[in-house]
Every structure is written in C-alpha cells, then in structure tokens.
Amino acid sequence: MSEQFEFRLSNDGCRRIAFFDPGNSPWFLPEANMRGQFTERIDETKWTRYLSQEQAADEVLRIVASWYEDVNDGHGLDASDLVSELERAGYPLPDEPEE
C-alpha cells in the first residue's frame, strides 16, 4: 500500500479519479454532487497512476539505474528485462511508428 498521497485515473474511458490518503487509509472515489465512496482496494490494472513529469522521470531513472547495476553485477539481465520492469511500473515503451 502506498505511504504517500496517490492519484489514479481510470482507463475505462469514464475519466474517473481515485485518491489515496495515507492518513485515511482507503481509496476515495469521488462522484457527482460532492458524493463518493471509500474502498480498501482498487484494481490497479483498471487505473493509471498520475505523477508529475518530474516524479515520473525520477521513477523511470531509478528503474534504469537499478537495472544497470544488476547488469554490471552479472545477473544475466538484458534489455527485455528493463522493458518488463518499466511496463510493470506503468511506463510501457511507445509503439514504433510504421514506415
């Protein structure tokens, strides 16, 4: 569970928002007219984490640095392992443009 405020956007086309407040513990899903619901868990596959560009860049660089250290330590990793780590963290590589 996250230990800091976290915001997620639904990826179902409905543009819903979920907030996590570590002081209140459950997720809050706001609805129209100042209503909403609290829930202990959300299905993270249906929500995209929102980070500022600077926070996202820091996170990606931490993932790359960790992968780089593992490669240098001889753990047998290759570029596909880096791609998998980035995807798991919510940073898939963009599709290659067709020529």
Side-chain angles (χ1 to χ4, degrees):
M1 181 75 58
S2 178
E3 295 184 18
Q4 59 185 348
F5 283 97
E6 188 173 322
F7 304 95
R8 291 192 180 239
L9 306 172
S10 66
N11 55 18
D12 61 2
C14 295
R15 297 183 180 176
R16 295 178 298 148
I17 300 172
F19 300 97
F20 177 78
D21 176 355
N24 289 323
S25 179
W27 285 89
F28 181 69
L29 306 168
E31 296 173 1
N33 300 323
M34 301 299 289
R35 296 181 184 192
Q37 64 180 354
F38 286 96
T39 183
E40 288 296 320
R41 295 189 179 113
I42 60 172
D43 180 352
E44 294 187 9
T45 64
K46 297 181 180 178
W47 295 85
T48 302
R49 190 167 48 137
Y50 172 81
L51 294 173
S52 70
Q53 187 174 5
E54 184 175 293
Q55 289 173 308
D58 287 347
E59 187 169 303
V60 167
L61 290 174
R62 275 193 300 277
I63 292 167
V64 171
S66 175
W67 171 83
Y68 180 79
E69 287 176 23
D70 288 343
V71 168
N72 278 342
D73 290 343
H75 291 287
L77 301 175
D78 62 17
S80 65
D81 296 306
L82 175 59
V83 171
S84 295
E85 285 296 315
L86 290 168
E87 287 175 347
R88 211 174 356 265
Y91 302 103
L93 296 182
D95 293 331
E96 292 184 28
E98 298 202 17
E99 297 178 20

